[in-house]
Amino acid sequence: MKKKRSPKWHRDELILTLNLYFDQNSGSFMSDNPKIIALSKTLNKLPIHPKEVKAESFRNPNGVAMKLSNFTAIDPSKTTKGLESYSKLDEKTFFEFCDRLDELKRISSIIEHSLGEIEILNELNKIEDEDSDIINEAFEGEIVYKLHKSRERNSKLTDSKKKEVLKKTGKLECEICSFDFYKTYGEVGKGFIECHHIKQLSTYQVSQKTKSEDLALVCSNCHRMLHRNRNDMSIKTLKNKINQDK
């Protein structure tokens, strides 16, 4: 029987492994290193790869040590050779974070913290991969992106925001392009609009509470555009772009 091969490394996995790589107290990159063993256990808990695709050796300590050696090969500051069979994503992730170690550490902390919260994990599993192209491009990785999305989908919070805006303006229209679902589609569109969390993913903190003023009402198209350009696209920027193109 042919052995099952482990799936390709995901960005979130690389972020956690790279964080260990830059840890000055990481120790040697050997499979018996306690920190590597601990990271192996963490990687196996990530809600990314389904169980059926995981081989017996999935992200075991030896595999983690090899990935760290890949980073050694990529690192221009190292004189040791390392394993050169690294992927384009390995290289891309390394150079995106090598000069942003504080951010790397913060994102890693958020990912690790989420694994200890059953409710958070359940929320992550509810987020469908409908935005898979956006998730793959997310600088902070899939888990932080999905944590952000779960806040946007908090029904209690979004309903409260809609009621607040309806009471104030008498309508629910996109804050960017002014699209009104009810005006366009009639009864079927009544009360429908999406909520966008205006705080950047780069400022995300697990413990922070989402307030009404943190949410903006947007149509589906504008919402998707905001997430496609998460690092530099704000409500104001996208609104100005639409107005300029008219």
Side-chain angles (χ1 to χ4, degrees), residues 133-195:
D133 56 332
I134 299 175
I135 290 173
N136 291 335
E137 295 170 5
F139 176 78
E140 292 82 0
E142 177 176 334
I143 291 178
V144 177
Y145 174 83
K146 285 188 173 182
L147 284 169
H148 174 90
K149 289 288 286 185
S150 72
R151 293 189 175 190
E152 293 181 341
R153 297 185 181 190
N154 182 314
S155 58
K156 185 177 180 180
L157 196 61
T158 56
D159 286 347
S160 176
K161 178 69 176 182
K162 289 178 184 179
K163 288 177 182 178
E164 177 187 316
V165 173
L166 268 175
K167 185 177 180 180
K168 185 177 180 180
T169 68
K171 56 186 176 181
L172 295 176
E173 66 176 22
C174 177
E175 294 182 27
I176 297 172
C177 70
S178 300
F179 185 85
D180 186 323
F181 285 90
Y182 180 52
K183 187 176 180 180
T184 302
Y185 298 110
E187 284 298 316
V188 71
K190 188 175 182 179
F192 182 82
I193 198 161
E194 296 185 9
C195 277

Side-chain angles (χ1 to χ4, degrees), residues 181-208:
F181 285 90
Y182 180 52
K183 187 176 180 180
T184 302
Y185 298 110
E187 284 298 316
V188 71
K190 188 175 182 179
F192 182 82
I193 198 161
E194 296 185 9
C195 277
H196 172 68
H197 200 298
I198 62 176
K199 289 191 175 180
Q200 296 287 321
L201 275 173
S202 59
T203 66
Y204 183 94
Q205 296 293 334
V206 173
S207 59
Q208 73 186 34

Side-chain angles (χ1 to χ4, degrees), residues 3-7 48-56 58:
K3 282 189 176 182
K4 189 186 298 182
R5 294 187 65 181
S6 289
I48 294 175
H49 302 289
K51 290 182 179 180
E52 56 268 23
V53 303
K54 294 181 179 180
E56 288 184 19
F58 178 79

Side-chain angles (χ1 to χ4, degrees), residues 131 133-135 137-140 145 148-149 152 173-178 193-202 214-242:
D131 295 338
D133 56 332
I134 299 175
I135 290 173
E137 295 170 5
F139 176 78
E140 292 82 0
Y145 174 83
H148 174 90
K149 289 288 286 185
E152 293 181 341
E173 66 176 22
C174 177
E175 294 182 27
I176 297 172
C177 70
S178 300
I193 198 161
E194 296 185 9
C195 277
H196 172 68
H197 200 298
I198 62 176
K199 289 191 175 180
Q200 296 287 321
L201 275 173
S202 59
D214 296 330
L215 298 175
L217 299 184
V218 293
C219 70
S220 308
N221 285 341
C222 287
H223 199 184
R224 191 167 178 82
M225 291 302 101
L226 288 168
H227 281 294
R228 281 188 67 85
N229 295 276
R230 187 65 200 168
N231 289 320
D232 60 2
M233 188 69 78
S234 65
I235 296 283
K236 184 178 179 180
T237 302
L238 186 55
K239 188 172 184 177
N240 288 340
K241 178 172 177 55
I242 290 175

Side-chain angles (χ1 to χ4, degrees), residues 58-73:
F58 178 79
R59 306 301 183 254
N60 63 13
N62 186 54
V64 175
M66 290 176 69
K67 185 54 63 181
L68 288 165
S69 188
N70 285 149
F71 286 137
T72 300

Side-chain angles (χ1 to χ4, degrees), residues 12 102 108 111 119 141:
D12 294 66
D102 287 343
S108 296
I111 294 173
E119 290 184 6

